[in-house]
């Protein structure tokens, strides 16, 4: 990540997490700085190194390093989780719709692993919960003159490679994700994984304006496609009751429409 993003994280942690505040000892000497502790935590996450490998470079002992990693992970989740693990906003959906339409798939909001083609897996998935509960924004698009009001995911065998590459990319950025988790219990492993995803999303959003994610000239907008957009007037405060939920489930499963 670039320096401004790193310093933003350091600043939030130093102000809101007790462990990362620099303190004085009994004779007035300054203790470890926020920069030392944050750098140590990120190095452990990024390189998957043991806790005692930074004792010479950053002058932290093994116990302090492990403590810094645990509090760093908790701090990232608590301070940034709501923003960077959120569901797509209407603006996010509109951007995804635009990308999908340029690629010839109006109404598509992303790719999904082909294992969800299995009806048994799909029945246990939460992927459509927001739609069934009436909490998802409505998406409108047309194909060959026919109007549709449900977005969709592109699902095939090739997409599975995309999903696996995404996880592989996360492993490449954070070696702790791929290395044996010998010193962490299940709860800490879950938190580490969640924090790494948040840090990845922070970095992607921070650098999004510096590069183009796709070359528009590579995609031809086919005939009959147009106008994929999020309906901002659609209310997502529909009361969740069994009648509404069954109605939406029936609409999602309508083979003739889809």
């Amino acid at each position: 990540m670039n320096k401004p993003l790193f310093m933003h994280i350091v600043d939030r942690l130093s102000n809101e997490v007790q462990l990362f505040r620099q303190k004085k000892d009994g004779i007035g000497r300054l203790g470890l700085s926020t920069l030392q502790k944050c750098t140590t935590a990120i190095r452990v996450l990024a390189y998957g190194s043991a806790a005692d490998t930074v004792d010479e470079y950053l002058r932290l002992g093994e116990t302090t390093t492990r403590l810094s990693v645990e509090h760093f992970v908790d701090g990232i989740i608590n301070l940034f989780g709501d923003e960077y693990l959120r569901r797509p906003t209407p603006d996010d959906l509109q951007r995804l719709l635009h990308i999908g339409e340029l690629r010839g798939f109006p109404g598509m909001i992303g790719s999904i692993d082909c294992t969800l083609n299995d009806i048994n897996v799909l029945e246990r998935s939460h992927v459509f919960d927001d739609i069934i509960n009436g909490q998802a924004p409505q998406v409108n698009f047309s194909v060959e003159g026919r109007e549709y009001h449900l977005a969709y995911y592109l699902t095939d065998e090739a997409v599975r490679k995309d999903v696996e590459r995404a996880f592989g990319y996360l492993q490449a950025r954070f070696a702790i994700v791929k290395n044996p988790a010998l010193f962490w219990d299940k709860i800490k492993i879950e938190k580490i994984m969640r924090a790494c995803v948040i840090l990845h999303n922070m970095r992607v959003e921070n650098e999004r304006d510096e590069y183009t994610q796709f070359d528009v000239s590579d995609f031809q907008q086919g005939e009959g496609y147009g106008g994929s957009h999020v309906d901002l007037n659609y209310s997502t405060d529909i009361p969740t009751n069994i009648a509404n939920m069954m109605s939406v489930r029936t609409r999602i499963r309508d083979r003739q429409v889809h």
Side-chain angles (χ1 to χ4, degrees):
M1 66 178 68
N2 59 36
K3 184 176 178 180
L5 177 58
F6 174 68
M7 293 308 300
H8 173 60
I9 294 172
V10 170
D11 184 60
R12 288 290 303 275
L13 289 173
S14 65
N15 288 328
E16 302 186 47
V17 180
Q18 184 69 24
L19 180 80
F20 289 97
R21 295 174 185 165
Q22 191 172 29
K23 306 178 185 70
K24 293 182 180 180
D25 62 15
I27 60 173
R29 292 182 305 184
L30 285 174
L32 297 167
S33 71
T34 306
L35 281 172
Q36 283 175 288
K37 294 175 183 177
C38 288
T39 303
T40 296
I42 286 185
R43 285 180 66 89
V44 171
L45 295 178
Y47 301 119
S49 53
D52 60 356
T53 57
V54 295
D55 53 359
E56 291 293 333
Y57 174 56
L58 291 166
R59 300 188 179 279
L60 268 75
E62 180 179 356
T63 302
T64 306
T65 295
R66 287 175 59 83
L67 200 61
S68 296
V69 172
E70 291 176 19
H71 282 76
F72 181 85
V73 165
D74 285 337
I76 291 294
I77 294 171
N78 294 332
L79 297 177
F80 302 105
D82 289 343
E83 180 179 358
Y84 291 96
L85 286 181
R86 68 179 188 270
R87 292 178 171 85
T89 64
D91 287 341
D92 293 332
L93 284 175
Q94 190 61 65
R95 178 172 53 83
L96 294 171
L97 287 169
H98 179 65
I99 294 172
E101 188 162 351
L102 289 173
R103 292 174 170 172
F105 293 96
M108 185 189 75
I109 57 174
S111 301
I112 203 165
D113 195 323
C114 67
T115 54
L116 283 177
N117 277 335
D118 186 324
I119 191 64
N120 297 314
V121 176
L122 188 60
E123 287 289 356
R124 298 179 62 86
S125 171
H126 299 289
V127 70
F128 296 120
D129 283 0
D130 281 355
I131 299 175
I132 292 174
N133 293 327
Q135 298 171 347
Q138 182 167 285
V139 171
N140 301 319
F141 64 97
S142 61
V143 177
E144 296 181 351
R146 182 166 185 170
E147 292 289 331
Y148 295 89
H149 304 289
L150 285 174
Y152 62 90
Y153 294 98
L154 183 65
T155 310
D156 62 21
E157 185 66 36
V159 168
R160 181 171 187 169
K161 297 177 182 176
D162 293 340
V163 176
E164 289 172 351
R165 286 192 193 106
F167 186 70
Y169 185 79
L170 192 70
Q171 288 180 318
R173 290 289 179 180
F174 299 99
I176 196 169
V177 174
K178 69 177 180 179
N179 289 350
L182 302 178
F183 300 104
W184 309 101
D185 57 43
K186 289 183 180 180
I187 295 176
K188 290 187 175 69
I189 291 171
E190 190 272 338
K191 289 183 177 179
I192 287 170
M193 187 70 200
R194 186 178 293 267
C196 288
V197 172
I198 293 171
L199 288 169
H200 170 72
N201 289 345
M202 293 176 72
R203 192 187 66 80
V204 168
E205 183 174 282
N206 182 256
E207 298 176 4
R208 178 173 290 153
D209 295 335
E210 298 177 10
Y211 59 84
T212 303
Q213 293 179 301
F214 57 91
D215 186 352
V216 176
S217 64
D218 287 345
F219 308 105
Q220 296 294 328
Q221 192 170 359
E223 296 180 3
Y225 300 138
S228 299
H229 67 277
V230 179
D231 185 354
L232 299 179
N233 297 318
Y234 180 78
S235 173
T236 56
D237 296 325
I238 299 173
T240 302
N241 57 55
I242 191 65
N244 288 338
M245 292 174 67
M246 292 304 296
S247 173
V248 175
R249 283 177 63 89
T250 301
R251 201 153 54 92
I252 290 175
R253 294 166 177 265
D254 192 329
R255 289 179 175 272
Q256 184 175 359
V257 169
H258 302 308

